[in-house]
Amino acid sequence: MLDVPSKISNLTELNSYIENLWAQPKLRFLFLELTLRCNENCIHCGSSCGKIDSEELSLDTYKMFLDRINQDFGHDDKMLCITGGEPLLRKDFFEILSYANHLGFSWGMTSNGTLIDKECAHKLRETGMRTISISIDGLPKTHDEFRRSPGGYERAMRGLNFLIEEGGFKAIQVTTVVTHKSIQELDALYEIFNEIDIDSWRIIGIEPIGRAKQHPELMLTPEDHKYLFEFIRNKRISGEPVTYGCSHYLGLDYEREVREGYFHCMAGTYTASITASGEIIACLDIERRPEFVQGNILKDEFYDVWNTKFKCFRKNLCEENDKCNTCSEKRFCRGGSYHSWNFAENRQEICFKSILF
């Protein structure tokens, strides 16, 4: 663990690097939202996915798009992040990703795991999947209620075990979204995950986005947040591969203590996303406001959009809010994550000042 002066030095250097990124962004992560259809109906879903009709791009459109990305950006240092909805609901899922693999792209995905059987796990490895994150959001009763999917926990764990048995992946991760009601299950979940061969366990708090806005009773309290970060830090001190997500600046006490790197909202600087209907946006978790849609791959060249647009994401959000702009740590926070910024009121919904620091 680093001392505070070292952290300040590193964060200061990072801030200068990010300011340069605003002028010269570097595409590293390209998210493809293959569908908004999902076989679950999660309370917290940021995209309000479920058993719904979803505009979806054709296989040929994805092939042409990936050809252009490969031509304009190359594939050596790029990661395709496949998501949904539940991406495995696409009947042409393996055709899309086989083509990406053929071009040389590295790819990983997020999944609820419920559709993964032995054959699917094998096909995922054969198609070149490097990483996968499976969602387990509590013990069986909690998980099933949270995802409004009876038997969902059992199916997700079965899918997870098929992936472990198949092997050959760079990383198999479990992601857990904790709420005020489920946070006391962390120790029990740790005992479960410690017995199976996963590579990491990522824990994040429920965020006031998407459907979760309708459930204020599930939001973490200040005490919950402190408990969460102490839980993660103590596991990491013991050498366990437990980590917090990339969201939010945590102050000098917790930065680099609960995850590998320092906070950096990568929306529009390292990260871009293609929605199920082809819209070009920064991060799929950001509120889907019209002004944040930078174009559509059905009519716009992604290369031009990436290099000439995204201006609203390449700036310090602190300048939009008087309280943030006078904060002593604004150069390290830069206004926090875009996905939790309230653009109607120009303020951050989740700020850990006075809670953690």
Side-chain angles (χ1 to χ4, degrees), residues 183 220-228 355:
I183 194 166
L220 299 180
T221 66
E223 291 72 24
D224 292 337
H225 279 119
K226 292 174 185 175
Y227 179 88
L228 171 62
I355 296 176

Side-chain angles (χ1 to χ4, degrees), residues 227-243:
Y227 179 88
L228 171 62
F229 293 123
E230 281 302 308
F231 176 87
I232 297 173
R233 175 156 63 181
N234 288 334
K235 294 303 181 191
R236 291 177 66 82
I237 289 173
S238 300
E240 303 297 334
V242 183
T243 185

Side-chain angles (χ1 to χ4, degrees), residues 177-322:
V177 176
V178 295
T179 72
H180 178 62
K181 291 184 178 180
S182 68
I183 194 166
Q184 296 305 322
E185 296 182 358
L186 287 176
D187 284 310
L189 287 171
Y190 171 77
E191 294 302 322
I192 293 171
F193 299 144
N194 196 42
E195 293 298 316
I196 59 179
D197 190 21
I198 60 173
D199 296 286
S200 64
W201 180 23
R202 184 174 72 118
I203 310 174
I204 53 180
I206 188 171
E207 306 265 310
I209 60 175
R211 290 195 192 114
K213 288 182 177 180
Q214 303 167 26
H215 297 277
E217 76 281 1
L218 297 180
M219 297 299 150
L220 299 180
T221 66
E223 291 72 24
D224 292 337
H225 279 119
K226 292 174 185 175
Y227 179 88
L228 171 62
F229 293 123
E230 281 302 308
F231 176 87
I232 297 173
R233 175 156 63 181
N234 288 334
K235 294 303 181 191
R236 291 177 66 82
I237 289 173
S238 300
E240 303 297 334
V242 183
T243 185
Y244 181 61
C246 61
S247 303
H248 311 304
Y249 173 67
L250 306 178
L252 295 175
D253 188 24
Y254 285 105
E255 282 294 326
R256 276 295 300 272
E257 307 286 317
V258 297
R259 57 190 168 204
E260 289 301 314
Y262 294 101
F263 169 70
H264 167 203
C265 183
M266 297 183 287
T269 55
Y270 278 165
T271 297
S273 303
I274 309 301
T275 71
S277 61
E279 291 181 336
I280 303 169
I281 61 176
C283 169
L284 292 166
D285 286 335
I286 297 174
E287 184 181 0
R288 305 279 175 99
R289 297 168 69 97
E291 63 265 34
F292 297 151
V293 176
Q294 306 299 295
N296 191 300
I297 65 170
L298 294 173
K299 61 183 179 64
D300 300 305
E301 289 292 338
F302 180 85
Y303 181 85
D304 295 334
V305 172
W306 177 256
N307 285 295
T308 63
K309 296 190 177 182
F310 285 98
K311 304 301 182 185
C312 55
F313 301 105
R314 297 167 183 169
K315 63 180 182 179
N316 192 327
L317 279 173
C318 286
E319 297 172 359
E320 307 294 319
N321 179 280
D322 290 341

